[in-house]
């Protein structure tokens, strides 16, 4: 299948408006796991997404403590090189193998990043990473200029095709841009979590691509999530500890998901597809990272790749956000 594409900033890569997110398929046994996963089902989901036209995968070294990258490699191993999707991954979150469920450290030390890129290249079984992103601002005392220069150097050396930042704010983007162009930003963004709109606007003004993550707010905006499901989340699913899945916040979030149903019905798509398309309606957003653990889940959000919400749809969603009080940030593109 052919899906609409957009240029990812100035990288030369044309990416589909939705990409496969490989966070959950990392499996259990680490701090931000989504519970246990079936690797065969994960591989089937990735291959199904590619068969449907999705041309990029976003993962990270820390997802499953290397396991997600290995699963991605297995999913792609039989696909001819010219037909393979772009593979994006991240660095800067370092875990303790002796205590895998502890909080990963946010490390920017150039030696660590260089070790990490080699590990990712090996796990992914590729000679070059298409987009390499600093996962979070470093907290080990390494200045932003130092770790960003390391990514720029890796790009110059041909280890990576493009260099990006994830979870960095406007001030940090400004610092990085003075050293060398920020090819892409990966911010969290959804109809619930809207506070990164300023970063998206900055990117639009600086020819920086944007791939947003958690556009369905980790399942809350799929239209199928319930209070009962939230209460039953296992202890090894990070969402069981997240405030968005508890109390009054959960009620507001589920009310917003319910309010998206009339829009979904008008377009003949799922609530999940509407939630993803809403993020894609914002100027500056190149694509949205959408997770799946089974092929059927891909079919639920895939229509977002070509769904164009109307002004009336966006007005209705904005009113629903205000009425339900879900999340924070601007309510309309």
């Amino acid at each position: 299948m052919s899906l609409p594409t957009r240029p990812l900033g100035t990288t030369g890569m044309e990416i589909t408006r939705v990409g496969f997110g490989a966070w959950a398929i990392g499996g259990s046994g680490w701090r931000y796991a989504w519970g246990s996963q079936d690797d065969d089902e994960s591989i089937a989901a990735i291959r199904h997404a590619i068969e449907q036209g999705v041309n990029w995968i976003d993962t990270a070294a820390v997802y499953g403590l290397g396991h997600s990258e290995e699963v991605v490699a297995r999913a792609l191993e039989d696909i001819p090189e010219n037909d393979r999707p772009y593979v994006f991954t991240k660095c800067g979150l370092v875990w303790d193998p002796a205590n895998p469920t502890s909080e990963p450290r946010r490390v920017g030390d150039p030696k660590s990043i260089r070790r990490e890129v080699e590990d990712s290249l090996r796990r992914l079984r590729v000679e070059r990473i298409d987009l390499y992103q600093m996962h979070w601002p470093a907290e080990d005392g390494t200045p932003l200029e130092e770790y960003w220069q390391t990514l720029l150097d890796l790009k110059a050396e041909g280890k990576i095709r493009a260099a990006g930042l994830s979870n960095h704010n406007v001030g940090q983007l400004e610092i990085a841009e003075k050293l060398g162009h920020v090819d892409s930003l990966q911010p969290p963004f959804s109809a619930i979590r809207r506070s990164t709109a300023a970063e998206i606007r900055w990117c639009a003004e600086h020819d920086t691509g944007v791939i947003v993550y958690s556009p369905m707010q980790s399942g809350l905006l799929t239209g199928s999530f319930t209070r009962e499901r939230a209460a039953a989340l296992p202890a090894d699913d990070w969402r069981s500890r997240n405030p968005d899945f508890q109390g009054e916040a959960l009620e507001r979030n589920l009310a917003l998901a319910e309010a998206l149903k009339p829009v979904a019905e008008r377009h003949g798509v799922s609530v999940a597809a509407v939630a993803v398309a809403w993020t894609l309606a914002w100027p500056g957003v190149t694509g949205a990272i959408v997770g799946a653990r089974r092929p059927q889940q891909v079919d639920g959000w895939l229509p977002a790749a070509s769904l164009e919400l109307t002004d009336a749809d966006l007005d209705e969603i904005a009113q629903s956000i205000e009425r339900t009080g879900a999340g924070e940030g601007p309510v309309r593109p």
Side-chain angles (χ1 to χ4, degrees):
M1 288 181 63
S2 178
L3 298 176
T5 61
R6 296 288 187 277
L8 182 64
T10 58
T11 65
M13 289 184 277
E14 295 274 339
I15 66 170
T16 48
R17 306 236 54 204
V18 292
F20 188 96
W23 178 2
I25 69 172
S28 61
W30 66 292
R31 182 73 173 179
Y32 294 101
W34 294 62
S36 60
Q37 310 298 323
D38 183 313
D39 288 351
D40 290 337
E41 277 199 320
S42 299
I43 289 167
I46 293 171
R47 290 179 175 169
H48 182 62
I50 295 167
E51 289 165 3
Q52 298 305 306
V54 174
N55 77 346
W56 55 287
I57 298 170
D58 180 83
T59 183
V62 78
Y63 297 162
L65 312 185
H67 188 63
S68 175
E69 290 182 331
E70 293 170 344
V71 172
V72 169
R74 286 179 56 197
L76 303 185
E77 63 185 349
D78 296 328
I79 300 176
E81 191 168 341
N82 290 340
D83 297 329
R84 287 189 171 201
Y86 298 120
V87 177
F88 306 160
T89 193
K90 310 177 197 76
C91 63
L93 286 184
V94 177
W95 60 90
D96 178 3
N99 189 9
T101 58
S102 62
E103 187 78 24
R105 293 180 297 117
R106 299 182 183 183
V107 177
D109 177 61
K111 291 179 182 178
S112 177
I113 290 175
R114 287 188 171 275
R115 282 194 300 270
E116 291 176 64
V117 76
E118 296 298 336
D119 287 343
S120 287
L121 287 166
R122 172 179 51 79
R123 286 189 292 259
L124 290 166
R125 301 183 219 161
V126 296
E127 295 182 359
R128 181 180 69 169
I129 293 164
D130 293 303
L131 173 63
Y132 201 49
Q133 305 153 95
M134 186 67 177
H135 209 147
W136 285 89
E139 294 181 342
D140 64 340
T142 305
L144 189 153
E145 293 92 336
E146 195 169 333
Y147 64 72
W148 181 240
Q149 185 61 57
T150 304
L151 266 67
L152 295 174
D153 291 345
L154 291 173
K155 182 178 175 182
E157 294 162 17
K159 298 276 188 183
I160 65 177
R161 178 173 179 173
L165 296 170
S166 177
N167 298 299
H168 283 63
N169 62 32
V170 168
Q172 292 162 335
L173 288 164
E174 292 277 9
I175 292 169
E177 186 72 11
K178 289 176 183 176
L179 277 180
H181 185 51
V182 180
D183 288 319
S184 181
L185 175 71
Q186 183 176 147
F189 193 59
S190 73
I192 292 170
R193 189 168 183 179
R194 308 178 301 276
S195 56
T196 55
E199 283 71 32
I200 292 169
R201 185 167 56 252
W202 183 95
C203 290
E205 294 167 354
H206 291 81
D207 293 326
T208 292
V210 175
I211 52 173
V212 300
Y213 74 87
S214 294
M216 299 182 298
Q217 201 57 40
S218 305
L220 286 168
L221 294 177
T222 58
S224 59
F225 208 87
T226 63
R227 298 170 189 82
E228 292 74 23
R229 186 173 168 193
L233 287 169
D236 63 350
D237 188 323
W238 69 274
R239 296 175 296 176
S240 66
R241 305 182 298 274
N242 187 276
D244 277 337
F245 291 81
Q246 301 168 4
E248 189 177 338
L250 175 64
E251 295 299 324
R252 291 194 295 264
N253 296 335
L254 293 180
L256 177 57
E258 184 70 22
L260 297 182
K261 288 183 177 178
V263 180
E265 290 169 1
R266 283 200 298 273
H267 289 279
V269 299
S270 67
V271 169
V274 171
V276 176
W278 183 88
T279 68
L280 296 172
W282 288 71
V285 174
T286 314
I289 302 163
V290 199
R293 291 177 270 182
R294 296 179 295 280
Q296 308 94 291
Q297 292 177 329
V298 174
D299 293 332
W301 50 253
L302 193 66
S306 52
L307 175 59
E308 297 285 345
L309 297 177
T310 66
D311 282 341
D313 293 331
L314 295 171
D315 286 341
E316 182 176 332
I317 294 169
Q319 291 164 7
S320 297
I321 292 170
E322 291 176 336
R323 184 178 70 254
T324 60
E328 59 181 11
V331 299
R332 196 189 190 289

